[in-house]
Amino acid sequence: MRTLLIILCVFTLASCGSLRPKSERIVSNEIIPKVNLTFSDSVDGLAKNINSVFQDNGWTILHSSEKAPLPRGSSIDKEDNRTYVKLSEYWLWKPALSDVNKPEYFIKGKTPTSAFSFGSYFYIILSKSEINKVNASFVLITTQYAEKKKLGEYTDSLINGLHSKYSHNK
């Protein structure tokens, strides 16, 4: 009887290991055929417009700089040794990297928290794609169920907000 009880406990504990929260994410590179995130502007100009879209939506900017918020000793661009923050964050920024262009500017933002959620995180990388053209690529990620349903809305708000800012500037 004890053996059966021990075996049952072991199987119960083993099955609970897969119950940890799973992250849900949207990567701009995966939705590019649907939307164009290249703008006729400078890197600083696009960064200001992104900050403005964040303010309009009530979101928070946690990091906005030319320096990558990476851990000491690693960097997104191998030629650049700018460092900072946690090692785990590197893997969150990595999907937003362009395969072709060097990263120029990094923005980390957060959607609002509520009683049911801690919000979602944006990891945005700006890079020059051509003369007077800047590309924005991002990862939007969360592990909370309440936020997973909102990821598409957040993505649309960012993209539509940017396109609105640039269509008004013409």
Side-chain angles (χ1 to χ4, degrees), residues 127-164:
S127 56
K128 292 180 184 174
S129 59
E130 301 170 23
I131 296 174
N132 298 327
K133 296 274 187 183
V134 181
N135 184 54
S137 55
F138 66 85
V139 175
L140 176 60
I141 192 162
T142 189
T143 58
Q144 291 139 11
Y145 181 75
E147 287 294 305
K148 288 179 184 180
K149 295 186 221 174
K150 297 179 186 177
L151 290 182
E153 294 172 27
Y154 294 147
T155 300
D156 291 344
S157 294
L158 176 67
I159 292 167
N160 293 336
L162 285 174
H163 284 289
S164 173

Side-chain angles (χ1 to χ4, degrees), residues 43 63-70 72 74-77 80-85 93 103-108 124-125:
V43 172
H63 177 87
S64 183
S65 172
E66 293 176 355
K67 295 183 178 180
L70 296 172
R72 197 160 296 287
S74 67
S75 67
I76 284 181
D77 180 9
D80 181 15
N81 205 10
R82 293 181 272 192
T83 58
Y84 314 105
V85 183
W93 287 97
E104 300 281 334
Y105 204 89
F106 301 85
I107 300 170
K108 178 182 175 184
I124 304 169
I125 296 178

Side-chain angles (χ1 to χ4, degrees), residues 38 52 87 110 133 143 168:
T38 301
S52 177
L87 182 59
K110 186 175 182 309
K133 296 274 187 183
T143 58
H168 290 299

